[in-house]
């Protein structure tokens, strides 16, 4: 890793890239040839356990399904949409699309008809695999309204078997010709952005983008996943594979022969962890926030709330002392702190590790920011959470922390081949082989986000003296109060979300005399919190209940203690309902649509300032 200036640019040298005339499937085949018996996937066996899927057997299935796609009329360069939740069948079809020389178009299973219509029309998709009849009917309706002729088939075991039967007559040499046709520069997938600021755009992720991620990011992050000779690394994938982060990580895992099992959603996660026992997990911040809140709630109900609170503070202090020693020359944890940490490890931390399956050595958090306090807590517990940073347009991670080089509060160092540059106005610019090939059929939009070979992220950040990147907010989200004070809402919103009752937060105050906040409550935590206090509150009742207001005010006070008075939150309003994807305020990757919230709740914001 090199830095040209601690404040303007940081880069990590490229490890390797495959030949320009090759493609991602060449990389996968080469990895399989090294160990065709490696267990790369795991399937539920119906007896509460899991059955290994070996690399060679997996690729045999992929080839058979790819021949079926060719028999169905799929030609190199054609678009094949995958409209389904995370599953093993998703993984098989994804690779089969590439073995047929085609381009995958992932679609979230939660997409509306209008969203599907836009994606089908924009991408030119003509073949679509759907998980069930409901999604199939939705896709047909979307295709009809978009005047698109769409060939549909079910993405199920039976559906894949039918494809294999259809492809029996396709010659192996025809499959090989289709597989070998794309080069690194050709599209592998068109991934539609979350659409937080308008209609989703189709980001073209090339074979070279995926290949660069597989070779370089894995090399950099081997400490995270405990990858290497003689190590059996495995993970439980429950994030939507339509999201570029999960999609890219699954590709990396296959290349690295890291075993993957699938869960349809985070809701089944805690049931699957004890039986599968992953060695590492990929999740979004809300999963970790709810996990810690659940542990705290259980402790309160068991009458051990004070013990847990002391254990939590000890874990945080232990992690902070370790980090101070690593980067600031501090003495590390004191003898007394080590003794307390050892005691709580026996009483508390071990139980948290067991809840994760007992073998997790690290977790990766992405998609949005996780509070530093929570990162320190989990590291102190013995489960380091490393944060990374990336966007759809950078094939997910462009920077990442690793246990051996981790700074809490940052999103890490550039992955190999990536250069991070901080523009004069603080915007983060990124370049490297993971940067996408542009937006599908939108040359002007593609040109607008590039500057001298760098992708303009729209995010604001800074680099420390070691080259670690710190995110400070979105360029468009900066609040300028009536007094001319620049306020970055993201750090305050993260701190507010640390409270177990808080669901979502939007800090407001643009052109206003002071800073305020709109909040929603987490319904699950509200239920547990209410029961612990012998209350029975609905979301509507809780929004104005004195005990709830007092609890939130305490958290607001904690936030205000870390900022200037001009930045402090003077008033807040709790909404009496949730902000969801269905309400139009969350993206499919569970990011808050800030601009939509500000527009839809303009009257509430006005009321906040009239009070």
């Amino acid at each position: 890793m090199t830095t040209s200036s601690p404040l303007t640019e940081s880069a990590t040298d490229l490890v390797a890239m495959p030949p320009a005339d090759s493609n991602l499937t060449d990389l996968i085949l080469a990895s399989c040839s090294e160990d065709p018996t490696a267990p790369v996937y795991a399937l539920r066996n119906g007896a509460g356990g899991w059955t290994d899927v070996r690399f060679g057997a997996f690729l045999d299935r992929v080839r058979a399904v790819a021949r079926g796609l060719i028999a169905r009329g799929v030609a190199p360069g054609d678009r094949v949409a995958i409209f389904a939740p995370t599953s093993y069948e998703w993984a098989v079809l994804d690779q089969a699309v590439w073995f047929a020389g085609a381009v995958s178009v992932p679609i979230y299973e939660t997409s509306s008809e209008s969203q599907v219509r836009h994606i089908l029309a924009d991408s030119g998709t003509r073949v679509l695999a759907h998980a069930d009849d409901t999604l199939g009917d939705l896709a047909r309706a979307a295709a009809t309204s978009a005047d698109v002729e769409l060939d549909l088939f079910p993405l199920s075991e039976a559906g894949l078997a039918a494809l294999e039967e259809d492809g029996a007559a396709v010659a192996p040499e025809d499959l090989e010709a289709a597989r070998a046709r794309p080069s690194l520069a050709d599209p592998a997938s068109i991934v539609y952005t979350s659409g937080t600021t308008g209609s989703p755009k189709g980001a073209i992720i090339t074979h070279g983008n995926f290949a660069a991620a597989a070779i370089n990011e894995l090399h950099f992050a081997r400490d995270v996943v405990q990858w290497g000779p003689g190590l059996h690394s495995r993970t439980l994938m429950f994030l939507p594979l339509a999201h570029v982060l999960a999609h890219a990580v699954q590709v990396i895992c296959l290349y690295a022969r890291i075993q993957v099992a699938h869960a349809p959603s985070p809701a089944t996660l805690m049931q699957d962890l004890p039986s599968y026992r992953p060695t590492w997990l990929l999740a979004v911040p809300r999963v970790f926030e709810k996990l810690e809140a659940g542990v705290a709630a259980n402790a309160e109900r068991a009458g051990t709330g004070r013990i847990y609170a002391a254990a939590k503070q000890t874990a945080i202090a232990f992690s902070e002392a370790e980090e101070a020693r690593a980067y600031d020359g501090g003495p590390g944890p004191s003898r007394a702190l080590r003794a307390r940490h050892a005691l709580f490890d026996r009483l508390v931390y071990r139980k948290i590790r067991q809840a994760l399956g007992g073998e997790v050595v690290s977790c990766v958090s992405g998609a949005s920011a996780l509070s530093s306090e929570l990162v320190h807590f989990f590291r102190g517990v013995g489960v380091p959470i490393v944060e990374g940073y990336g966007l759809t347009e950078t094939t997910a991670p462009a920077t990442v922390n690793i246990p051996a080089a981790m700074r809490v509060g940052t999103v890490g160092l550039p992955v190999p081949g990536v250069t991070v540059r901080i523009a004069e106005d603080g915007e983060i610019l990124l370049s490297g082989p993971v940067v996408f090939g542009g937006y599908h059929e939108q040359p002007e939009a593609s040109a607008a986000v590039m500057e001298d070979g760098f992708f303009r992220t729209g995010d604001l950040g800074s680099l420390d003296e070691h080259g670690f990147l710190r995110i400070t907010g979105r360029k468009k989200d900066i609040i300028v109060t009536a007094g001319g004070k620049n306020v970055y809402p993201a750090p305050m919103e993260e701190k507010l979300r640390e409270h177990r009752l808080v669901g979502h937060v939007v800090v407001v105050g643009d052109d206003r005399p002071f800073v305020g906040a709109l909040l929603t409550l987490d319904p699950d935590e509200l239920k547990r919190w209410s029961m612990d206090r012998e209350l029975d509150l609905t979301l509507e009742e809780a929004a104005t209940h004195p005990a709830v207001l007092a609890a939130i005010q305490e958290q607001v006070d904690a936030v205000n203690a870390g900022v200037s008075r001009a930045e402090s939150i003077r008033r807040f309003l709790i909404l009496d309902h949730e902000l969801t994807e269905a309400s139009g305020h969350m993206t499919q990757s569970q990011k808050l649509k800030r601009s939509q919230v500000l527009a839809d709740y303009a009257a509430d914001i006005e009321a906040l300032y009239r009070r």
Side-chain angles (χ1 to χ4, degrees):
M1 201 283 299
T2 60
T3 57
S4 61
S5 166
L7 297 177
T8 61
E9 193 167 295
S10 177
T12 302
D13 294 336
L14 185 72
V15 173
M17 280 293 290
D21 59 354
S22 66
N23 64 50
L24 182 60
T25 63
D26 292 306
L27 209 62
I28 299 301
L29 288 170
S31 181
C32 181
S33 68
E34 293 179 10
D35 189 359
T37 64
V40 290
Y41 287 103
L43 298 175
R44 291 180 178 82
N45 59 22
W50 303 80
T51 299
D52 292 339
V53 178
R54 307 289 174 177
F55 210 155
F58 172 74
L59 287 190
D60 286 344
R61 188 87 194 274
V62 165
R63 289 189 183 95
V65 173
R67 286 198 295 268
L69 291 174
I70 293 172
R72 212 174 180 96
V74 174
D78 283 354
R79 275 61 163 150
V80 178
I82 306 177
F83 190 23
T86 293
S87 67
Y88 173 69
E89 290 77 18
W90 205 109
V92 171
L93 182 60
D94 188 44
Q95 288 293 323
V97 168
W98 291 333
F99 268 68
V103 180
S104 67
V105 182
I107 304 177
Y108 287 95
E109 74 273 17
T110 56
S111 297
S112 66
E113 183 181 325
S114 63
Q115 289 170 324
V116 176
R117 180 172 63 246
H118 170 76
I119 292 172
L120 294 179
D122 186 76
S123 65
T125 292
R126 295 295 179 268
V127 178
L128 180 144
H130 57 86
D132 53 41
D133 291 342
T134 300
L135 295 183
D137 291 342
L138 191 153
R140 288 187 186 89
T144 299
S145 60
D147 196 22
V148 168
E149 292 186 12
L150 195 63
D151 177 17
L152 292 90
F153 65 89
L155 183 58
S156 61
E157 178 57 34
L160 293 182
L163 275 178
E164 292 179 81
E165 186 176 343
D166 292 343
V170 175
E173 55 268 26
D174 291 337
L175 172 64
E176 178 58 20
R179 183 204 67 77
R181 184 167 178 175
S183 69
L184 291 186
D186 288 318
S189 190
I190 301 177
V191 181
Y192 282 79
T193 58
S194 299
T196 56
T197 56
S199 296
K201 297 187 288 291
I204 298 173
I205 309 300
T206 67
H207 282 267
N209 294 149
F210 277 122
I215 294 175
N216 293 283
E217 293 180 16
L218 176 73
H219 177 86
F220 194 59
R222 66 176 65 219
D223 288 342
V224 177
V225 300
Q226 296 291 291
W227 171 74
L231 294 173
H232 180 37
S233 180
R234 57 191 180 275
T235 189
L236 187 62
M237 182 68 72
F238 56 91
L239 296 183
L241 286 168
H243 191 287
V244 70
L245 175 60
H247 195 180
V249 168
Q250 179 158 267
V251 170
I252 293 170
C253 288
L254 183 60
Y255 166 70
R257 302 186 293 276
I258 294 170
Q259 190 173 34
V260 176
H262 297 93
S265 75
T268 65
L269 178 62
M270 300 312 292
Q271 303 167 20
D272 293 328
L273 288 172
S275 61
Y276 185 62
R277 300 191 305 279
T279 59
W280 64 281
L281 288 171
L282 170 70
V284 294
R286 195 61 185 149
V287 172
F288 298 115
E289 291 166 356
K290 290 181 77 68
L291 175 60
E292 192 280 326
V295 173
N298 289 338
E300 283 191 24
R301 282 195 295 274
T304 58
R306 288 187 177 181
I307 294 175
Y308 176 74
K312 180 177 179 179
Q313 291 306 313
T314 296
I316 293 170
F318 189 87
S319 174
E320 289 174 338
E322 290 281 18
E323 176 150 315
R325 176 170 60 182
Y327 291 100
D328 301 322
S334 66
R335 182 177 299 179
L337 179 55
R338 288 185 180 278
R340 290 200 308 274
H341 186 268
L343 172 63
F344 287 129
D345 188 71
R346 294 192 298 272
L347 296 176
V348 179
Y349 308 152
R350 188 175 301 173
K351 294 177 182 178
I352 296 175
R353 296 195 296 269
Q354 284 300 126
L356 292 172
E359 297 187 27
V360 170
V361 295
S362 65
C363 296
V364 180
S365 179
S368 59
L370 184 65
S371 76
S372 295
E373 181 178 280
L374 212 53
V375 177
H376 276 303
F377 167 70
F378 276 101
R379 185 165 70 168
V381 164
V383 184
I385 297 177
V386 297
E387 289 191 272
Y389 167 73
L391 304 94
T392 300
E393 293 87 346
T394 63
T395 323
T399 69
V400 68
N401 278 291
I402 59 176
M406 176 178 174
R407 295 212 77 172
V408 177
T410 78
V411 290
L413 299 167
V415 301
V418 168
T419 298
V420 177
R421 178 180 293 173
I422 306 300
E424 289 186 7
D425 63 356
E427 184 175 7
I428 300 167
L429 311 179
L430 301 171
S431 72
V434 295
V435 174
F436 77 143
Y439 297 115
H440 182 249
E441 295 188 348
Q442 294 195 44
E444 291 184 2
S446 301
V449 296
M450 299 302 295
E451 179 179 308
D452 297 330
F454 281 78
F455 171 65
R456 299 173 57 184
T457 66
D459 291 322
L460 298 170
S462 62
L463 293 164
D464 70 10
E465 68 275 18
H466 301 285
F468 287 82
L469 177 64
R470 188 181 302 274
I471 309 297
T472 56
R474 287 287 297 171
K475 192 173 181 179
K476 294 181 180 180
D477 289 345
I478 296 177
I479 293 171
V480 183
T481 66
K485 177 65 177 178
N486 285 0
V487 178
Y488 297 94
M492 291 192 288
E493 291 167 350
E494 291 166 26
K495 183 69 176 176
L496 279 171
R497 286 201 309 271
E498 288 179 8
H499 195 284
R500 58 181 289 199
L501 284 177
V502 176
H504 298 291
V505 185
V506 176
V507 170
V508 298
D510 216 26
D511 294 325
R512 303 286 188 172
F514 56 84
V515 175
L518 295 181
L519 300 95
T520 65
L521 301 176
D522 184 307
D524 296 332
E525 288 305 320
L526 174 63
K527 183 177 180 179
R528 286 190 281 263
W529 185 90
S530 298
M531 289 176 61
D532 292 342
R533 288 155 180 79
E534 298 183 352
L535 299 171
D536 185 17
L537 300 176
T538 64
L539 284 174
E540 186 175 1
E541 293 167 340
T544 56
H545 194 279
V548 175
L549 294 175
I552 300 302
Q553 184 63 58
E554 287 184 11
Q555 190 68 12
V556 169
D557 292 342
V559 172
N560 290 343
V563 299
S564 68
R565 176 163 175 76
E567 298 169 288
S568 64
I569 298 170
R570 310 283 181 85
R571 293 177 186 168
F572 64 88
L573 175 68
I574 301 176
L575 301 177
D576 61 6
H577 52 275
E578 293 183 82
L579 298 177
T580 65
E581 187 180 334
S583 73
H585 301 107
M586 300 292 295
T587 70
Q588 292 157 321
S589 57
Q590 297 306 294
K591 295 177 183 176
L592 196 67
K593 294 183 178 180
R594 184 183 183 85
S595 59
Q596 191 66 49
V597 173
L598 294 177
D600 290 349
Y601 291 92
D604 295 279
I605 295 171
E606 285 295 333
L608 186 68
Y609 286 95
R610 284 200 305 268
R611 284 164 50 191

